[in-house]
Structure formats: C-alpha cells, structure tokens
C-alpha cells in the first residue's frame, strides 16, 4: 500500500509521455512527473519517492525531500495566509495547509511555527497542526537512562527547554544541563537522563555518568585537531570559556581531558592542552 505523506520504495512500471508510473506489490500505481524522472532510470528497478496529493487532489510521487513527513514535526515558515488557514513551506510545490482550527495561535505570513503533519481521516488530505500537544503522549514511555533520542526544541520554560522526543513524547532539558545554544525548532541528539514516576522525561545533551567519558573525550580531541593541536583551556578556565569553546560543562571537560591524558594523546600545560 502506498503511504501518503511518507517515503515509498516503488518499482518502475513503465515510461510515458507525462512521466514514470511506479507501483507497489499490491498493484497500486502512482505517477512520477517528467521533471522528477532521473536520467538513469531503469524499468523494473526500485526507486524511493515521496508520495502526496497534488493540486488536483491526485496521488503523485516526487524525488524532492520535504521538510516534514506524515506523523512528524518540523519548524515551518508560513508562505501565505488564506481565508481558511495558513499555507506552510515544506519543500514541495504544493504548500501544506494548517487550517485555522488547528492553529494554537493565529499564524502570520513570514513567521515560523512548529507543525505536526497528519492525514485527515475525513478529507483524506495531508494537513498540518500547530496544536502539537495533542499529538504527543507520555503514557507509554519505554526508555532507559542514557538511551539516545532525537529531540526538537519546542519552547522555553522557566525550568529549561521543553522538547519533542522521537516525534512522540514530551521531554525537558533543564537549564543546568544546557551547554550549547538552543532555539525553537533546533533538532539534535539527546540522552535520557531520567524517566520520572509520572513518565515525564528529563533529557541531557550529553551522555550520563560512565558513558559520558568517551564521547566527551572525542569532542575535545576533534576540537584540538581543528585548532592546530592546541586549546587554551585548563583547570583555571571559567565554565563560560569552556562552554563557549566546546559546549561542555567544566566537569565534563575535566573528565574528557583526564581520559585523553591517560591515553597519552595530549599534554597538559599551564596555558592549555596540546596534542602529542
């Protein structure tokens, strides 16, 4: 079955004057218009395409890579505000509609908002919503401490940054765990710091405990290589200096330096550290 709003791996069935017809194992066909047809296509070969509805509400395929897929979240810009909603730029010719009823706040042209994409069961159309909380749930959270997750920064709170975890759950990065710049819509890797009794998820931007050591040492080592083998950071450097240069806490920095020193990859001087 061809999935609208997502990537599909389909077989090239035949070439026509308007493009390629692609099909799945169930016999469903979709057109890939000529402007997206690669020069080196082969009949019966498989091709990965994104499928959605065109301006005439017909299923169509494209090789373009949209900014968002069905059941996902993205930080999208409003291209136009119409009488019935806002149209978002999502990397395809036909914009993604966010109806007024699905707007957490009235959207303005040119501004960007976090949007969820879903298939409307009544109209069978792909639409967007900025009412993101109704698409997130922490009822069935199954993470262990230090599990790596994909996160998107959603909004700043008095405690830190609320984030979307794996496009499914809500999490929080406390201000005390922030060692790099974060902005609304930022996507990054995170690590589960704690899952509380009420299933709220605390997220860290770096691994916890023993698992923290190797990645931290690599960050420092990579930075040394980028800076001709020397960094003017040491025990007396301020936490702000370390954070600005490496996006690490001073505690993480000292642990990483300790690992590199024991592995005899660096020397430690009064004015900084150097690669051996």
């Amino acid at each position: 079955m061809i999935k609208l709003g997502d990537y599909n791996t389909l077989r090239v069935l035949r070439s026509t004057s308007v493009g390629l017809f692609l099909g799945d194992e169930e016999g469903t066909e979709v057109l890939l218009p000529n402007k997206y047809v690669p020069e080196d296509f082969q009949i019966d070969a498989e091709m990965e395409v994104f499928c959605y509805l065109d301006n005439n509400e017909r299923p169509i395929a494209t090789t373009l890579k949209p900014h968002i897929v069905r059941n996902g979240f993205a930080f999208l810009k409003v291209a136009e505000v119409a009488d019935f909603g806002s149209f978002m730029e999502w990397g395809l010719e036909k914009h993604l509609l966010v109806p007024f009823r699905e707007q957490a706040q009235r959207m303005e042209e040119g501004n960007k908002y976090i949007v969820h994409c879903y298939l409307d069961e009544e109209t069978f159309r792909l639409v967007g919503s900025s009412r993101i909380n109704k698409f997130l749930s922490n009822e069935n959270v199954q993470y262990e401490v230090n599990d790596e997750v994909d996160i998107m920064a959603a909004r700043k709170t008095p405690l830190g940054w609320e984030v979307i975890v794996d496009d499914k759950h809500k999490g929080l990065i406390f201000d005390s765990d922030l060692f790099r710049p974060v902005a609304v819509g930022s996507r990054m890797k995170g690590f589960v710091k704690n899952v509380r009794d009420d299933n709220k998820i605390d997220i860290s931007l770096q691994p916890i405990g023993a698992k923290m050591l190797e990645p931290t040492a690599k960050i420092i080592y990579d930075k040394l290589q980028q800076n001709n083998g020397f960094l003017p950071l040491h025990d007396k450097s301020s936490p702000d200096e370390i954070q600005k240069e490496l996006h690490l806490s001073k505690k993480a920095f000292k642990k990483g330096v300790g690992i590199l020193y024991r592995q005899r990859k660096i020397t430690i001087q009064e004015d900084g550290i150097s690669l051996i």
Side-chain angles (χ1 to χ4, degrees):
M1 181 177 180
I2 293 177
K3 298 177 291 183
L4 289 177
D6 211 338
Y7 292 98
N8 295 259
T9 300
L10 304 175
R11 189 166 60 89
V12 179
L13 301 177
R14 60 187 182 278
S15 177
T16 72
S17 61
V18 292
L20 297 181
F21 276 91
L22 313 177
D24 62 9
E25 295 179 352
E26 298 177 2
T28 306
E29 297 185 4
V30 65
L31 173 68
L32 178 69
N34 277 323
K35 56 186 168 184
Y36 303 126
V37 173
E39 293 181 359
D40 58 349
F41 79 88
Q42 294 181 344
I43 301 297
D44 285 332
E46 290 188 335
M47 184 181 299
E48 184 181 66
V49 291
F50 183 83
C51 297
Y52 69 114
L53 299 179
D54 65 12
N55 289 318
N56 295 314
E57 307 300 334
R58 296 173 302 190
I60 199 164
T62 178
T63 53
L64 296 175
K65 305 292 185 182
H67 306 317
I68 190 173
V69 298
R70 180 175 166 184
N71 298 326
F73 294 84
F75 194 44
L76 303 180
K77 182 179 179 181
V78 178
E80 178 187 0
V81 177
D83 293 336
F84 41 86
S86 301
F87 289 95
M88 318 298 289
E89 296 178 0
W90 64 320
L92 302 180
E93 291 183 12
K94 178 187 176 183
H95 295 319
L96 180 68
L97 172 66
V98 179
F100 286 133
R101 68 176 183 276
E102 289 297 331
Q103 297 182 17
Q105 64 186 87
R106 189 56 62 95
M107 294 178 166
E108 298 180 6
E109 186 174 328
N111 290 348
K112 299 183 74 173
Y113 303 86
I114 292 180
V115 169
H116 178 79
C117 177
Y118 68 99
L119 189 69
D120 188 303
E121 294 182 355
E122 294 183 5
T123 63
F124 204 62
R125 296 173 180 171
L126 292 167
V127 294
S129 174
S130 63
R131 297 183 181 275
I132 62 175
N133 286 336
K134 73 178 188 178
F135 301 100
L136 299 171
S137 172
N138 282 40
E139 289 185 6
N140 186 27
V141 173
Q142 297 180 340
Y143 292 119
E144 300 291 336
V145 172
N146 264 325
D147 279 352
E148 185 175 303
V149 291
D150 292 311
I151 58 175
M152 172 188 276
R155 69 184 184 97
K156 185 72 174 70
T157 75
L159 296 176
W161 274 93
E162 190 174 280
V163 296
I164 298 169
V165 182
D166 285 339
D167 283 345
K168 296 184 294 186
H169 309 300
K170 290 172 68 174
L172 182 69
I173 306 174
F174 286 97
D175 282 332
S176 57
D177 290 321
L178 285 169
F179 304 110
R180 70 183 68 171
V182 174
V184 175
S186 298
R187 276 201 176 271
M188 62 202 93
K189 294 292 184 181
F191 299 87
V192 175
K193 183 177 182 181
N194 184 37
V195 178
R196 293 183 244 168
D197 292 338
D198 58 2
N199 276 355
K200 291 182 178 177
I201 309 170
D202 298 336
I203 298 292
S204 172
L205 294 181
Q206 54 194 20
I208 312 301
K211 286 191 176 181
M212 174 181 178
L213 300 180
E214 185 176 346
T216 302
K218 186 177 186 307
I219 289 172
I220 298 170
Y221 188 79
D222 289 346
K223 196 69 174 180
L224 280 164
Q225 290 185 313
Q226 295 169 17
N227 286 271
N228 298 317
F230 177 77
L231 285 175
L233 299 174
H234 43 77
D235 273 352
K236 295 181 180 179
S237 296
S238 70
D240 287 344
E241 290 176 305
I242 294 169
Q243 180 180 335
K244 181 179 179 181
E245 186 69 33
L246 297 169
H247 303 311
L248 294 173
S249 66
K250 187 166 184 177
K251 181 179 179 181
F253 169 72
K254 292 173 70 173
K255 287 185 176 181
V257 166
I259 288 177
L260 294 175
Y261 181 75
R262 288 192 294 275
Q263 293 177 347
R264 298 184 179 180
K265 294 183 181 296
I266 63 170
T267 58
I268 301 175
Q269 299 110 23
E270 290 187 1
D271 60 344
I273 54 177
S274 298
L275 286 175
I276 292 178

